[in-house]
Amino acid sequence: MAKITYPCPCASGKLYPDCCEPIHKGKADAQSAEQTMRARYTAFCYGEIGYLVDTLHPRKRRLGDAFSLSKRIKKTRWIGLKIINHQAGEEISYVDFVAFRLEKGQIAQQHERSKFVFVEGKWFYFDGEELPDIKLERNEPCFCGSGKKFKKCH
């Protein structure tokens, strides 16, 4: 299998093998709630359902999670991630982010303030509060990581 040499979808600026892949493969643990959130976003992009279930807080897991995640992943094309804020705590942290996706040919947003809980040395997604879409400024860098201004890209 060829080595993936393109940027990680999590927008860290690193290549996937140097970023989220070791976390997905269980060779490294995410060191923060933000890193867990980035790895979860990338897991949605790449269909890493096992990682998504494993990083869901045990009290939030339900029978059929893997099946419903699989259905959602198949019908969603994620195209960018923007971290707005990370409030780091020792046991509870919050990550405010916007995940961009294509939906019926249009750009859609999932703006969320996610709560993460630290349990036995690992960060778990607990729940999230949906927030209103953000306004995209024409001259800011595009969320997709192309390096172009938003107005010249999407």
Side-chain angles (χ1 to χ4, degrees), residues 78-95:
W78 298 100
I79 57 173
L81 176 67
K82 182 174 184 166
I83 303 294
I84 307 294
N85 189 23
H86 176 210
Q87 295 174 312
E90 289 185 28
E91 294 180 13
I92 297 174
S93 290
Y94 296 90
V95 181

PDB file of all heavy atoms in Angstrom, residues 78-95:
ATOM      1  N   TRP A  78     -16.767  15.660   3.614  1.00  0.00           N
ATOM      2  CA  TRP A  78     -16.177  16.709   4.437  1.00  0.00           C
ATOM      3  C   TRP A  78     -15.088  17.403   3.642  1.00  0.00           C
ATOM      4  O   TRP A  78     -14.274  16.742   2.997  1.00  0.00           O
ATOM      5  CB  TRP A  78     -15.634  16.118   5.734  1.00  0.00           C
ATOM      6  CG  TRP A  78     -16.711  15.490   6.550  1.00  0.00           C
ATOM      7  CD1 TRP A  78     -17.011  14.164   6.631  1.00  0.00           C
ATOM      8  CD2 TRP A  78     -17.672  16.165   7.351  1.00  0.00           C
ATOM      9  NE1 TRP A  78     -18.096  13.976   7.453  1.00  0.00           N
ATOM     10  CE2 TRP A  78     -18.529  15.191   7.913  1.00  0.00           C
ATOM     11  CE3 TRP A  78     -17.904  17.507   7.664  1.00  0.00           C
ATOM     12  CZ2 TRP A  78     -19.581  15.510   8.768  1.00  0.00           C
ATOM     13  CZ3 TRP A  78     -18.951  17.829   8.515  1.00  0.00           C
ATOM     14  CH2 TRP A  78     -19.773  16.833   9.057  1.00  0.00           C
ATOM     15  N   ILE A  79     -15.052  18.738   3.696  1.00  0.00           N
ATOM     16  CA  ILE A  79     -14.104  19.481   2.855  1.00  0.00           C
ATOM     17  C   ILE A  79     -13.239  20.476   3.610  1.00  0.00           C
ATOM     18  O   ILE A  79     -12.383  21.122   3.003  1.00  0.00           O
ATOM     19  CB  ILE A  79     -14.838  20.207   1.701  1.00  0.00           C
ATOM     20  CG1 ILE A  79     -15.914  21.130   2.241  1.00  0.00           C
ATOM     21  CG2 ILE A  79     -15.409  19.195   0.719  1.00  0.00           C
ATOM     22  CD1 ILE A  79     -16.570  22.011   1.185  1.00  0.00           C
ATOM     23  N   GLY A  80     -13.417  20.607   4.911  1.00  0.00           N
ATOM     24  CA  GLY A  80     -12.564  21.532   5.646  1.00  0.00           C
ATOM     25  C   GLY A  80     -12.929  21.628   7.114  1.00  0.00           C
ATOM     26  O   GLY A  80     -14.042  21.315   7.519  1.00  0.00           O
ATOM     27  N   LEU A  81     -11.959  22.055   7.897  1.00  0.00           N
ATOM     28  CA  LEU A  81     -12.128  22.187   9.338  1.00  0.00           C
ATOM     29  C   LEU A  81     -11.498  23.495   9.791  1.00  0.00           C
ATOM     30  O   LEU A  81     -10.403  23.860   9.348  1.00  0.00           O
ATOM     31  CB  LEU A  81     -11.441  21.018  10.055  1.00  0.00           C
ATOM     32  CG  LEU A  81     -11.438  21.060  11.583  1.00  0.00           C
ATOM     33  CD1 LEU A  81     -12.866  20.893  12.124  1.00  0.00           C
ATOM     34  CD2 LEU A  81     -10.527  19.995  12.141  1.00  0.00           C
ATOM     35  N   LYS A  82     -12.187  24.179  10.680  1.00  0.00           N
ATOM     36  CA  LYS A  82     -11.660  25.408  11.277  1.00  0.00           C
ATOM     37  C   LYS A  82     -11.893  25.332  12.778  1.00  0.00           C
ATOM     38  O   LYS A  82     -13.022  25.177  13.231  1.00  0.00           O
ATOM     39  CB  LYS A  82     -12.361  26.632  10.690  1.00  0.00           C
ATOM     40  CG  LYS A  82     -11.842  27.936  11.223  1.00  0.00           C
ATOM     41  CD  LYS A  82     -12.470  29.108  10.493  1.00  0.00           C
ATOM     42  CE  LYS A  82     -11.847  30.402  10.997  1.00  0.00           C
ATOM     43  NZ  LYS A  82     -12.158  31.518  10.142  1.00  0.00           N
ATOM     44  N   ILE A  83     -10.804  25.403  13.551  1.00  0.00           N
ATOM     45  CA  ILE A  83     -10.903  25.440  15.007  1.00  0.00           C
ATOM     46  C   ILE A  83     -11.093  26.898  15.395  1.00  0.00           C
ATOM     47  O   ILE A  83     -10.283  27.749  15.044  1.00  0.00           O
ATOM     48  CB  ILE A  83      -9.636  24.870  15.675  1.00  0.00           C
ATOM     49  CG1 ILE A  83      -9.362  23.441  15.222  1.00  0.00           C
ATOM     50  CG2 ILE A  83      -9.742  24.973  17.199  1.00  0.00           C
ATOM     51  CD1 ILE A  83     -10.373  22.423  15.635  1.00  0.00           C
ATOM     52  N   ILE A  84     -12.153  27.176  16.124  1.00  0.00           N
ATOM     53  CA  ILE A  84     -12.441  28.535  16.569  1.00  0.00           C
ATOM     54  C   ILE A  84     -11.810  28.796  17.928  1.00  0.00           C
ATOM     55  O   ILE A  84     -11.194  29.839  18.146  1.00  0.00           O
ATOM     56  CB  ILE A  84     -13.977  28.775  16.660  1.00  0.00           C
ATOM     57  CG1 ILE A  84     -14.680  28.400  15.358  1.00  0.00           C
ATOM     58  CG2 ILE A  84     -14.291  30.188  17.093  1.00  0.00           C
ATOM     59  CD1 ILE A  84     -14.345  29.256  14.175  1.00  0.00           C
ATOM     60  N   ASN A  85     -11.953  27.840  18.856  1.00  0.00           N
ATOM     61  CA  ASN A  85     -11.456  28.033  20.213  1.00  0.00           C
ATOM     62  C   ASN A  85     -11.286  26.671  20.884  1.00  0.00           C
ATOM     63  O   ASN A  85     -12.015  25.734  20.587  1.00  0.00           O
ATOM     64  CB  ASN A  85     -12.462  28.892  21.007  1.00  0.00           C
ATOM     65  CG  ASN A  85     -11.927  29.332  22.345  1.00  0.00           C
ATOM     66  OD1 ASN A  85     -10.737  29.400  22.572  1.00  0.00           O
ATOM     67  ND2 ASN A  85     -12.839  29.622  23.269  1.00  0.00           N
ATOM     68  N   HIS A  86     -10.312  26.598  21.793  1.00  0.00           N
ATOM     69  CA  HIS A  86     -10.112  25.397  22.609  1.00  0.00           C
ATOM     70  C   HIS A  86      -9.940  25.862  24.044  1.00  0.00           C
ATOM     71  O   HIS A  86      -8.980  26.567  24.354  1.00  0.00           O
ATOM     72  CB  HIS A  86      -8.874  24.625  22.131  1.00  0.00           C
ATOM     73  CG  HIS A  86      -8.543  23.439  22.975  1.00  0.00           C
ATOM     74  ND1 HIS A  86      -7.263  22.980  23.132  1.00  0.00           N
ATOM     75  CD2 HIS A  86      -9.310  22.608  23.712  1.00  0.00           C
ATOM     76  CE1 HIS A  86      -7.259  21.917  23.920  1.00  0.00           C
ATOM     77  NE2 HIS A  86      -8.491  21.685  24.287  1.00  0.00           N
ATOM     78  N   GLN A  87     -10.887  25.499  24.891  1.00  0.00           N
ATOM     79  CA  GLN A  87     -10.797  25.808  26.320  1.00  0.00           C
ATOM     80  C   GLN A  87     -10.330  24.540  27.021  1.00  0.00           C
ATOM     81  O   GLN A  87     -11.108  23.607  27.220  1.00  0.00           O
ATOM     82  CB  GLN A  87     -12.150  26.252  26.877  1.00  0.00           C
ATOM     83  CG  GLN A  87     -12.637  27.556  26.290  1.00  0.00           C
ATOM     84  CD  GLN A  87     -14.041  27.888  26.769  1.00  0.00           C
ATOM     85  OE1 GLN A  87     -14.931  27.047  26.736  1.00  0.00           O
ATOM     86  NE2 GLN A  87     -14.228  29.108  27.210  1.00  0.00           N
ATOM     87  N   ALA A  88      -9.053  24.514  27.365  1.00  0.00           N
ATOM     88  CA  ALA A  88      -8.450  23.315  27.929  1.00  0.00           C
ATOM     89  C   ALA A  88      -8.594  23.280  29.440  1.00  0.00           C
ATOM     90  O   ALA A  88      -8.316  24.260  30.128  1.00  0.00           O
ATOM     91  CB  ALA A  88      -6.975  23.255  27.547  1.00  0.00           C
ATOM     92  N   GLY A  89      -9.045  22.138  29.925  1.00  0.00           N
ATOM     93  CA  GLY A  89      -9.105  21.868  31.352  1.00  0.00           C
ATOM     94  C   GLY A  89      -8.434  20.542  31.626  1.00  0.00           C
ATOM     95  O   GLY A  89      -8.075  19.817  30.693  1.00  0.00           O
ATOM     96  N   GLU A  90      -8.260  20.214  32.897  1.00  0.00           N
ATOM     97  CA  GLU A  90      -7.599  18.957  33.231  1.00  0.00           C
ATOM     98  C   GLU A  90      -8.499  17.751  33.005  1.00  0.00           C
ATOM     99  O   GLU A  90      -8.035  16.699  32.590  1.00  0.00           O
ATOM    100  CB  GLU A  90      -7.096  18.990  34.674  1.00  0.00           C
ATOM    101  CG  GLU A  90      -5.908  19.913  34.850  1.00  0.00           C
ATOM    102  CD  GLU A  90      -5.339  19.848  36.253  1.00  0.00           C
ATOM    103  OE1 GLU A  90      -5.470  18.794  36.908  1.00  0.00           O
ATOM    104  OE2 GLU A  90      -4.765  20.859  36.683  1.00  0.00           O
ATOM    105  N   GLU A  91      -9.796  17.897  33.318  1.00  0.00           N
ATOM    106  CA  GLU A  91     -10.720  16.779  33.173  1.00  0.00           C
ATOM    107  C   GLU A  91     -11.812  17.024  32.148  1.00  0.00           C
ATOM    108  O   GLU A  91     -12.368  16.083  31.590  1.00  0.00           O
ATOM    109  CB  GLU A  91     -11.354  16.442  34.521  1.00  0.00           C
ATOM    110  CG  GLU A  91     -10.346  15.916  35.524  1.00  0.00           C
ATOM    111  CD  GLU A  91     -10.975  15.584  36.864  1.00  0.00           C
ATOM    112  OE1 GLU A  91     -12.215  15.521  36.958  1.00  0.00           O
ATOM    113  OE2 GLU A  91     -10.211  15.386  37.829  1.00  0.00           O
ATOM    114  N   ILE A  92     -12.143  18.287  31.897  1.00  0.00           N
ATOM    115  CA  ILE A  92     -13.161  18.651  30.917  1.00  0.00           C
ATOM    116  C   ILE A  92     -12.603  19.766  30.050  1.00  0.00           C
ATOM    117  O   ILE A  92     -12.043  20.737  30.565  1.00  0.00           O
ATOM    118  CB  ILE A  92     -14.473  19.102  31.590  1.00  0.00           C
ATOM    119  CG1 ILE A  92     -15.082  17.948  32.400  1.00  0.00           C
ATOM    120  CG2 ILE A  92     -15.462  19.615  30.557  1.00  0.00           C
ATOM    121  CD1 ILE A  92     -16.300  18.326  33.210  1.00  0.00           C
ATOM    122  N   SER A  93     -12.735  19.609  28.748  1.00  0.00           N
ATOM    123  CA  SER A  93     -12.296  20.635  27.797  1.00  0.00           C
ATOM    124  C   SER A  93     -13.396  20.852  26.770  1.00  0.00           C
ATOM    125  O   SER A  93     -14.229  19.966  26.539  1.00  0.00           O
ATOM    126  CB  SER A  93     -11.014  20.216  27.078  1.00  0.00           C
ATOM    127  OG  SER A  93      -9.913  20.231  27.955  1.00  0.00           O
ATOM    128  N   TYR A  94     -13.361  22.019  26.141  1.00  0.00           N
ATOM    129  CA  TYR A  94     -14.335  22.359  25.108  1.00  0.00           C
ATOM    130  C   TYR A  94     -13.591  22.776  23.849  1.00  0.00           C
ATOM    131  O   TYR A  94     -12.599  23.490  23.923  1.00  0.00           O
ATOM    132  CB  TYR A  94     -15.249  23.498  25.565  1.00  0.00           C
ATOM    133  CG  TYR A  94     -16.101  23.119  26.742  1.00  0.00           C
ATOM    134  CD1 TYR A  94     -15.658  23.322  28.044  1.00  0.00           C
ATOM    135  CD2 TYR A  94     -17.350  22.532  26.548  1.00  0.00           C
ATOM    136  CE1 TYR A  94     -16.435  22.959  29.127  1.00  0.00           C
ATOM    137  CE2 TYR A  94     -18.139  22.157  27.629  1.00  0.00           C
ATOM    138  CZ  TYR A  94     -17.669  22.381  28.922  1.00  0.00           C
ATOM    139  OH  TYR A  94     -18.445  22.012  29.988  1.00  0.00           O
ATOM    140  N   VAL A  95     -14.089  22.328  22.705  1.00  0.00           N
ATOM    141  CA  VAL A  95     -13.524  22.717  21.419  1.00  0.00           C
ATOM    142  C   VAL A  95     -14.658  23.275  20.569  1.00  0.00           C
ATOM    143  O   VAL A  95     -15.635  22.581  20.298  1.00  0.00           O
ATOM    144  CB  VAL A  95     -12.847  21.531  20.695  1.00  0.00           C
ATOM    145  CG1 VAL A  95     -12.260  21.988  19.362  1.00  0.00           C
ATOM    146  CG2 VAL A  95     -11.771  20.900  21.569  1.00  0.00           C
TER     147      VAL A  95
END
